[in-house]
Amino acid sequence: MDDNQSGGRELADGHGFGAREADALPLVHLLRAVTVEFGLRQAEFAARNAMHHTDVRALICLLDAARAGEPATVGLLGARLGLNSAGTTSVIDRLERLGHVARVRDDRDRRRVLLRVEPGAIRLGQEFFGPAIDGLLGVLESFDTAERDTVRRFLTAAHTVLSPEQDR
């Protein structure tokens, strides 16, 4: 991958990007750098807590589902992680053995099993990721509403472009 961020002629002439793309490409590189750093922090968290990196992704998926008010089913988790049934069960079993996740019966449909992130796992995540989240919130406080809306619009669009549903 080319990390040339001079933004000028080399990108426009040497890699098939026009001037508009060459001007915007450094933002894509910054987004990639941020995602790499997030990935490194997730790997560090996983290693410190005897977890596989997929376990951390699973916890994030389950926490996101809870925030969105979505029922956190085994099927939802498997779909979000891109795992088959056996792989999803393996992740859940590991997280359950570590005390990070519990299988609970749905109050509305007792046949359905839901997944719940346990308070201890949430506490571990807050202790590890809390300083970074606080730092990011501090950065966002320096942005006005219009700037935050622009960042939100870009990140939402980037998420849409990168989501598996976009695969053709």
Side-chain angles (χ1 to χ4, degrees):
M1 283 190 218
D2 183 89
D3 280 330
N4 181 348
Q5 292 190 12
S6 64
R9 202 154 172 75
E10 297 91 281
L11 287 174
D13 294 344
H15 294 86
F17 295 111
R20 184 183 70 128
E21 290 84 0
D23 183 50
L25 204 52
L27 291 175
V28 174
H29 290 161
L30 283 171
L31 178 61
R32 182 187 62 208
V34 168
T35 60
V36 166
E37 290 302 322
F38 266 124
L40 291 171
R41 297 299 77 75
Q42 289 175 358
E44 183 182 348
F45 177 79
R48 283 188 184 187
N49 294 287
M51 295 167 55
H52 187 272
H53 68 89
T54 304
D55 300 341
V56 178
R57 289 180 43 225
L59 289 172
I60 292 167
C61 288
L62 294 173
L63 291 168
D64 287 347
R67 260 191 302 280
E70 295 177 281
T73 63
V74 173
L76 175 114
L77 183 61
R80 298 246 170 106
L81 295 175
L83 296 176
N84 63 23
S85 179
T88 304
T89 299
S90 180
V91 169
I92 296 166
D93 287 346
R94 278 195 311 267
L95 290 171
E96 196 171 41
R97 274 192 306 276
L98 290 167
H100 297 321
V101 166
R103 290 175 171 104
V104 296
R105 292 274 171 208
D106 186 344
D107 289 335
R108 289 182 228 156
D109 180 353
R110 300 293 297 159
R111 296 168 296 174
R112 185 162 73 161
V113 173
L114 299 176
L115 303 169
R116 180 185 66 220
V117 178
E118 295 289 63
I122 294 169
R123 203 169 27 261
L124 273 178
Q126 288 171 336
E127 289 169 2
F128 185 86
F129 293 106
I133 292 169
D134 288 344
L136 291 170
L137 290 172
V139 169
L140 286 170
E141 285 174 3
S142 71
F143 290 22
D144 65 32
T145 302
E147 290 171 318
R148 284 192 301 272
D149 287 345
T150 300
V151 171
R152 183 179 298 104
R153 194 173 81 241
F154 173 72
L155 291 176
T156 300
H159 183 254
T160 299
V161 167
L162 296 171
S163 291
E165 296 84 37
Q166 291 299 309
D167 293 343
R168 288 158 183 74

